[in-house]
Amino acid sequence: MKLGRVQFRIVQVLWDRGRASAREITDALNESGEEPLAHSTVQTLLRQLEAKGAVGHEAEGRTFVFFAKLKEDRARRTATRDLLERVFGGSVGGLVAHLLKTEKVSREELDELRQLIDERRGEDTGAGKTKRKG
């Protein structure tokens, strides 16, 4: 399921809050400092998200309260895979190299990346080995 940039932001609000009305979502998006969105735009995007199955709602009195149906990890995997294929031709190394060259990366993040690389190397070297019974 592909989401547009603003659709993704709406779903992020719902992941953070659990449940929210369209007005609460509009207010949260407009607090972010990015270009303000009209409430009617948010309502339209919520209807589109419901049609995609990413969002659901329940009526509480006269107010619709929305919640995310799309799981955060699934959305991140889909968005990352799309970026990886579209922009970097599927090259994980190309994506990581680009980020390391163009973005600020803290010492802590570099240490975490080093640990992940070391763990992956350990998995790769162990994958081809088979235990022999003697």
Side-chain angles (χ1 to χ4, degrees):
M1 171 182 320
K2 288 188 179 182
L3 302 181
R5 185 180 61 81
V6 179
Q7 289 178 329
F8 198 86
R9 288 177 55 212
I10 288 171
V11 177
Q12 283 179 309
V13 169
L14 294 172
W15 288 329
D16 291 344
R17 295 181 179 218
R19 300 167 53 88
S21 68
R23 174 57 60 197
E24 290 168 335
I25 294 167
T26 301
D27 292 345
L29 292 171
N30 288 336
E31 288 171 3
S32 71
E34 293 189 32
E35 185 176 335
L37 293 167
H39 183 59
S40 59
T41 300
V42 172
Q43 290 174 313
T44 299
L45 291 170
L46 282 164
R47 281 193 296 277
Q48 292 171 357
L49 286 165
E50 279 195 290
K52 290 181 178 188
V55 166
H57 79 269
E58 294 175 350
E60 291 185 3
R62 293 177 39 177
T63 303
F64 283 1
V65 178
F66 295 88
F67 54 90
K69 292 171 74 174
L70 178 63
K71 300 292 181 210
E72 187 171 3
D73 61 329
R74 180 175 173 221
R76 285 180 191 231
R77 278 196 313 271
T78 301
T80 303
R81 173 60 48 198
D82 181 56
L83 173 70
L84 187 64
E85 294 297 330
R86 254 184 330 105
V87 180
F88 294 94
S91 170
V92 173
L95 170 61
V96 173
H98 173 77
L99 292 172
L100 290 172
K101 289 177 186 175
T102 61
E103 301 296 322
K104 283 189 132 187
V105 183
S106 70
R107 166 73 62 193
E108 293 79 19
E109 288 172 317
L110 289 170
D111 291 344
E112 184 179 345
L113 289 169
R114 169 70 60 204
Q115 182 179 349
L116 290 169
I117 290 168
D118 291 345
E119 288 172 7
R120 177 58 64 97
R121 277 195 176 134
E123 290 173 10
D124 290 346
T125 58
K129 296 181 181 178
T130 57
K131 292 184 180 179
R132 295 184 183 186
K133 294 183 180 179

